[in-house]
Amino acid sequence: MAPHLRKQLVVVGHGMVGHRFVQAAIERGLTETHDIVVLGEEPRPAYDRVALTSFFEVGAEALSYLPGGVYDDPRVTLRIDTEVVAMDATEQTVTLADGETLRYDELVLATGAAPFVPPVPGKDLGNVFVYRTIEDLEAIREASKGARAGAVIGGGLLGLEAANALHQLGVQTHVVEMAPRLMAVQVDDAGGATLKRHIEELGLTVHTGVMTELIDGDADGKVSGIKFKDEDTLPLDIVIFSAGIRPRDAIARAAGIETAERGGVLVDEQCRSSDEHVWAIGECAAPGGRMYGLVAPGYTMAEVVVDTLLGGEAGAFTGADMSTKLKLLGVDVASFGDAFGTTDDCLELVFADAVAGIYKKLVVLENATGGFELLGGILVGDASAYGVLRPLVGSGMALPDNPEELILPAGRGGGIEIGLPDEAQVCSCNNVTKGEILAAVSEDGGCDSPACVTKCTQAGATCGSCKTVVKKIVEDHFAATGKVVDRSLCEHFAMTRQELFEVVAVHGYNRFDDIIEGHGKGRGCDICKPAVASILASLLNHHVLDDSLATLQDTNDAYLANLQKNGTYSVVPRIPGGEITPDKLIVIGEVARDYGLYTKITGGQRIDLFGARMEDLPAIWKRLVDAGMESGHAYGKSLRTVKSCVGSTWCRYGVQDSVGMAIELELRYRGLRSPHKIKGGVSGCARECAEARSKDFGIIATEKGWNLYVCGNGGAIPAHAQLLAGDLSREDLIKYLDRFLMYYIRTADRLQRTSYWMEAIGGLDRIREVVVDDSLGLGTELEAAMDSHVDSYFDEWKATIEDPEKLARFVSFVNAPGTPDPNITFREERGQIQAANNEGPVSLGATIPVGGPR
């Protein structure tokens, strides 16, 4: 019998889809019959292009899918920095840039797409870039070092990612979009307007409905500005094109392979081209004449080709879910299904909250039984429901009688839960259903955690948007089957934060070593150490830099200031209620001038001083303390501010003294350590100028007293505070607030905001039972705990500058205490210093605190 001859399979392109093809080939046994040669044009192996913007924070190695550059299977050869310039379908060969020719039995094209650069005059000037590869980002970073302003041409998904990258580099950023709204393919006009407001609040400038006429250049051949049609020139130093992509099909087209009218290699449902031995997957392919610009369809194509080559029952690529969920410049945006309501007789349900910056739309269709089915939707500002809503599209599952409940906030009739059928697709990136997740955690599957499920099924492994749903499915399954769900704080403490709080309180511990010896194991980690430090601070109110406590603190608490991206710190003195005297304002100005600090007024009605060197912190604090100021605790998980309007003192609409109340509350709760930061607000009338309902606790004046609202927050997923009690006297208001805050501190999970805590303990009614009705009989105890905090309060800055041992840690180099860190540099913009652009994330390795590395 003649020996079996192995075949050679050549893959052109080693991006995310090419890498997925190789993974599937190895996992499913294609390397038993084929040697695989992968030719990657870029100078590095495949990396996570979806998370490209995070390159500035984590570096190239963290994004890599193959850090070592070698596959475990020796039958796969990867050659990077290798360009394929031609193919010959008749001879079944590919030609490399250096002239080498490789034979293939099967050829898989995974060449991806190239950025589209419109034919705008000036597009070839210096400092004009595209946004596609790590090399592109490295070039943009280098150009940004001397740049003040830049523009991204394109306001779609990639355009906003590019704008985020430019914004991270400290460049004043403009987003230019020809369509009348941002993300025109994914969101409607109202969603685009909400997204635009979010982005402009971050300091970017958005230009929609404009056309770039030309790019101006200077004498050195570099960008100097762009001119819009019928408008003046906008001065710029950098331009980034991110106006879409085009399939890279040139070598296939030149070889006579059929291509689609709008580009891309035409392929059938098995992703086979017009040549039976040539296949195309990912963005270079055009199944049915359409290109798919997302990674998930490319992964499906890769697996279809592997299965077909294996000769078994081949799958088919018949289309893809183009749903999208991502965070753009910190704003959650999701679009899924028939988002624009193109289906006949469909209905649109919309919830919009302009104050919180939230827009949600569901597209539904009434079925034959009178119920509703979900066709699609758009979520901007709060996409937390995406993981549950997207699998419902196409599932045939009936919605609640009032489907608007799916997008309304919990306090306004929403927040209901709905079960998913087993066939519902949970992870669209890797085509994983709820049933497959349940199979993974069954006895046969053997998975015992969400992390294990992700590793085994790939659910949540790509974009991560479904991880919360995966976690809930796993935990619900374990609970239903009687298996204990592990909610341990970390590997060193087999208990929740609430349980650990009670243990520390009951035993009266004041040292981490005693706690871990008695109730934990090992030496602790960066999860449990700060958590224990917070618990001890809440219970004892000792200085966080006392002997055994100093090594438990995270970076900010360890130096009583917020670390910034260039290694300097920011200093925020407390300004209770936003009220400050001219004398104190003058001192802040003098300190900023004398130490060369950048000053900015914060949203919490305080003044933030940026750019302070570590060794200067104590001297800066002393100047402020001598003027009657104290730490604002901007660095700690503690009370930050109690914001106020001017109230009845000045405003003709005010019905109570909101400033006086805000000052009283801020001085009462200052320094109160908690599971997460706490913010408050007091408004003097129903006009709500202090935005109290966006705070963890908010007070709004009435003719009869005060209304108390709790569990609101801004941030990535905003939540409106809800009314706990109304028309309260000053005494009852403080009593209920004391109880509320101490109840939260005792029972919340680590880093859990009050809005999530409320959901976890049973909602607003449960809080009202404990805080107002005193159903647990804890009222007096909670009030006493708060009184103890108030009586023992001290200013951490003042205590530090009076203690030589604590002062000794504030040096850049322990072996050269008087030497400032030479790596800290600044540039000037708008008359103030700005952090100079770093080559990567801030490293604490060069800053050795007293006592050695923590």
Side-chain angles (χ1 to χ4, degrees):
M1 180 180 294
H4 176 72
L5 296 177
R6 292 181 60 80
K7 295 183 177 181
Q8 177 152 292
L9 187 154
V10 173
V11 181
V12 181
H14 194 237
M16 295 175 71
V17 173
H19 174 66
R20 180 62 187 147
F21 174 85
V22 176
Q23 280 185 314
I26 295 171
E27 293 166 0
R28 302 182 187 191
L30 188 60
T31 52
E32 297 299 323
T33 55
H34 290 71
D35 293 320
I36 299 177
V37 178
V38 187
L39 306 173
E41 186 177 4
E42 293 187 52
R44 65 186 82 245
Y47 53 88
D48 187 357
R49 211 182 298 272
V50 173
L52 189 58
T53 305
S54 65
F55 164 71
F56 294 132
E57 300 172 15
V58 302
E61 191 75 4
L63 295 179
S64 178
Y65 283 144
L66 198 66
V70 179
Y71 285 99
D72 291 337
D73 192 324
R75 295 164 294 192
V76 178
T77 301
L78 170 63
R79 296 172 61 174
I80 59 173
D81 211 4
T82 302
E83 182 185 2
V84 176
V85 295
M87 58 172 284
D88 187 325
T90 302
E91 297 296 326
Q92 294 187 207
T93 60
V94 294
T95 303
L96 310 185
D98 63 2
E100 182 183 355
T101 299
L102 292 179
R103 179 194 60 81
Y104 67 81
D105 294 295
E106 304 292 341
L107 177 67
V108 177
L109 299 176
T111 48
F116 171 66
V117 179
V120 178
K123 64 182 178 61
D124 297 319
L125 287 167
N127 285 359
V128 175
F129 304 98
V130 295
Y131 180 85
R132 188 67 176 170
T133 68
I134 287 178
E135 283 65 42
D136 292 333
L137 264 69
E138 288 176 332
I140 292 168
R141 180 169 61 187
E142 184 63 28
S144 74
K145 291 178 179 178
R148 290 181 177 273
V152 176
I153 298 179
L157 293 176
L158 291 176
L160 294 182
E161 288 284 356
N164 189 25
L166 199 58
H167 182 61
Q168 286 182 14
L169 292 169
V171 178
Q172 182 182 345
T173 303
H174 297 259
V175 180
V176 180
E177 171 56 48
M178 185 170 63
R181 64 179 181 272
L182 297 173
M183 287 184 65
V185 176
Q186 288 81 21
V187 303
D188 57 15
D189 287 339
T194 302
L195 179 60
K196 181 180 178 182
R197 283 196 298 273
H198 273 293
I199 291 174
E200 288 182 332
E201 285 174 359
L202 295 172
L204 287 80
T205 303
V206 178
H207 310 263
T208 52
V210 298
M211 181 178 292
T212 304
E213 199 169 61
L214 61 88
I215 303 174
D216 277 337
D218 58 19
D220 296 327
K222 294 182 178 180
V223 171
S224 63
I226 59 174
K227 186 178 186 309
F228 302 136
K229 188 175 183 180
D230 302 324
E231 293 186 29
D232 294 335
T233 298
L234 177 68
L236 297 170
D237 305 298
I238 294 175
V239 171
I240 301 174
F241 279 105
S242 191
I245 54 176
R246 297 292 184 269
R248 298 185 63 196
D249 58 8
I251 61 171
R253 190 185 296 270
I257 304 296
E258 291 184 21
T259 54
E261 183 179 351
R262 300 187 63 180
V265 179
L266 270 175
V267 295
D268 60 18
E269 291 186 352
Q270 278 66 51
C271 298
R272 183 188 283 108
S273 75
S274 56
D275 184 289
E276 64 176 335
H277 297 294
V278 178
W279 315 74
I281 57 177
E283 292 168 332
C284 71
R290 177 184 178 183
M291 186 196 89
Y292 293 84
L294 297 177
V295 68
Y299 283 179
T300 303
M301 293 182 212
E303 293 168 3
V304 166
V305 173
V306 169
D307 289 342
T308 303
L309 289 171
L310 284 169
E313 184 177 342
F317 183 86
T318 57
D321 179 5
M322 297 300 286
S323 299
T324 304
K325 176 182 180 290
L326 65 166
K327 190 180 289 291
L328 297 166
L329 291 150
V331 183
D332 283 325
V333 181
S335 175
F336 54 96
D338 183 10
F340 292 95
T342 59
T343 304
D344 290 341
D345 300 323
C346 67
L347 301 172
E348 295 185 355
L349 306 175
V350 174
F351 169 77
D353 185 339
V355 175
I358 294 174
Y359 173 79
K360 302 180 182 181
K361 182 178 82 171
L362 295 184
V363 180
V364 301
L365 182 68
E366 188 172 3
N367 57 30
T369 63
F372 292 96
E373 295 180 9
L374 184 62
L375 300 180
I378 295 170
L379 307 170
V380 178
D382 175 11
S384 56
Y386 173 81
V388 172
L389 293 174
R390 191 203 52 74
L392 295 177
V393 176
S395 70
M397 188 173 178
L399 301 182
D401 292 339
N402 298 308
E404 68 273 12
E405 295 173 351
L406 294 169
I407 54 174
L408 286 174
R412 299 173 68 172
I416 66 166
E417 291 193 7
I418 187 165
L420 297 174
D422 286 357
E423 61 272 17
Q425 186 189 61
V426 173
C427 177
S428 60
C429 289
N430 295 295
N431 193 25
V432 183
T433 64
K434 177 184 176 183
E436 290 172 309
I437 294 171
L438 292 175
V441 292
S442 67
E443 289 187 8
D444 293 336
C447 282
D448 59 358
S449 67
C452 179
V453 169
T454 295
K455 183 176 181 180
C456 293
T457 68
Q458 295 298 298
T462 301
C463 77
S465 65
C466 62
K467 280 190 173 181
T468 55
V469 180
V470 173
K471 183 175 185 290
K472 183 166 178 18
I473 291 172
V474 172
E475 291 184 349
D476 286 352
H477 172 75
F478 286 161
T481 56
K483 184 173 181 178
V484 176
V485 179
D486 185 6
R487 293 189 171 91
S488 300
L489 179 65
C490 67
E491 62 185 282
H492 303 104
F493 286 99
M495 60 184 79
T496 64
R497 179 195 174 277
Q498 178 183 354
E499 291 166 340
L500 185 57
F501 188 101
E502 296 300 328
V503 165
V504 175
V506 168
H507 289 272
Y509 290 122
N510 57 23
R511 296 177 67 252
F512 177 83
D513 291 347
D514 295 335
I515 299 169
I516 200 166
E517 182 180 348
H519 305 277
K521 61 181 180 180
R523 297 183 178 181
C525 63
D526 58 2
I527 293 176
C528 61
K529 285 183 176 181
V532 168
S534 174
I535 290 171
L536 291 173
S538 298
L539 287 169
L540 305 175
N541 207 19
H542 291 175
H543 199 300
V544 295
L545 299 185
D546 280 350
D547 297 335
S548 63
L549 300 178
T551 57
L552 305 180
Q553 311 301 329
D554 63 18
T555 302
N556 292 336
D557 280 300
Y559 294 99
L560 309 181
N562 282 337
L563 178 67
Q564 303 302 315
K565 69 178 186 179
N566 69 338
T568 62
Y569 291 81
S570 68
V571 176
V572 186
R574 186 170 302 287
I575 303 177
E579 182 181 86
I580 188 168
T581 65
D583 288 341
K584 288 181 180 178
L585 272 176
I586 290 170
V587 170
I588 291 174
E590 289 174 342
V591 168
R593 179 198 61 204
D594 294 348
Y595 287 91
L597 307 179
Y598 170 87
T599 56
K600 188 179 187 304
I601 297 174
T602 74
Q605 298 179 333
R606 305 198 286 188
I607 298 174
D608 206 339
L609 310 175
F610 290 85
R613 295 176 178 271
M614 182 192 298
E615 59 270 19
D616 290 336
L617 288 173
I620 292 171
W621 297 338
K622 187 174 189 311
R623 293 271 296 272
L624 297 172
V625 169
D626 288 347
M629 287 175 272
E630 63 183 19
S631 167
H633 287 95
Y635 48 83
K637 295 294 184 286
S638 58
L639 178 80
R640 295 291 177 84
T641 65
V642 181
K643 186 176 180 179
S644 73
C645 65
V646 294
S648 60
T649 309
W650 290 96
C651 180
R652 65 184 187 274
Y653 299 112
V655 295
Q656 302 285 355
D657 180 10
S658 54
V659 179
M661 177 59 75
I663 292 173
E664 180 177 3
L665 295 177
E666 185 161 344
L667 294 180
R668 181 171 182 81
Y669 303 130
R670 58 186 172 177
L672 181 64
R673 299 285 171 154
S674 52
H676 209 296
K677 62 185 176 186
I678 301 173
K679 296 182 179 181
V682 183
S683 287
C685 72
R687 285 174 171 78
E688 245 282 72
C689 294
E691 301 170 327
R693 291 195 62 197
S694 65
K695 311 300 182 187
D696 297 281
F697 65 86
I699 295 109
I700 301 177
T702 71
E703 295 287 352
K704 299 178 181 179
W706 306 92
N707 286 346
L708 173 58
Y709 296 83
V710 295
C711 300
N713 61 258
I717 303 180
H720 260 155
Q722 300 179 41
L723 182 64
L724 181 67
D727 292 330
L728 298 174
S729 65
R730 171 194 168 279
E731 292 74 18
D732 283 343
L733 173 66
I734 291 176
K735 177 174 69 174
Y736 292 158
L737 256 180
D738 284 356
R739 293 178 180 180
F740 166 75
L741 291 172
M742 278 302 172
Y743 184 41
Y744 164 64
I745 289 170
R746 286 190 175 192
T747 59
D749 202 354
R750 168 183 170 270
L751 301 181
Q752 187 177 46
R753 291 299 297 265
T754 54
S755 57
Y756 289 100
W757 165 72
M758 178 177 67
E759 295 176 11
I761 64 171
L764 182 67
D765 288 342
R766 179 56 178 168
I767 295 176
R768 186 177 289 116
E769 290 172 3
V770 175
V771 171
V772 179
D773 303 333
D774 197 15
S775 61
L776 299 179
L778 291 174
T780 302
E781 183 179 333
L782 296 173
E783 292 167 39
M786 185 61 77
D787 287 339
S788 175
H789 163 76
V790 174
D791 293 342
S792 61
Y793 172 77
F794 62 93
D795 176 27
E796 290 176 340
W797 286 354
K798 186 173 186 294
T800 300
I801 59 180
E802 293 174 349
D803 187 332
E805 290 187 9
K806 291 183 176 64
L807 282 178
R809 69 186 292 108
F810 292 91
V811 293
S812 290
F813 301 99
V814 67
N815 57 343
T819 304
D821 187 345
N823 296 312
I824 294 175
T825 56
F826 302 94
R827 58 189 176 87
E828 186 174 317
E829 185 172 327
R830 298 186 296 276
Q832 293 203 81
I833 63 163
Q834 300 280 345
N837 299 320
N838 288 336
E839 289 301 312
V842 172
S843 170
L844 298 180
T847 303
I848 309 299
V850 174
R854 297 194 311 284

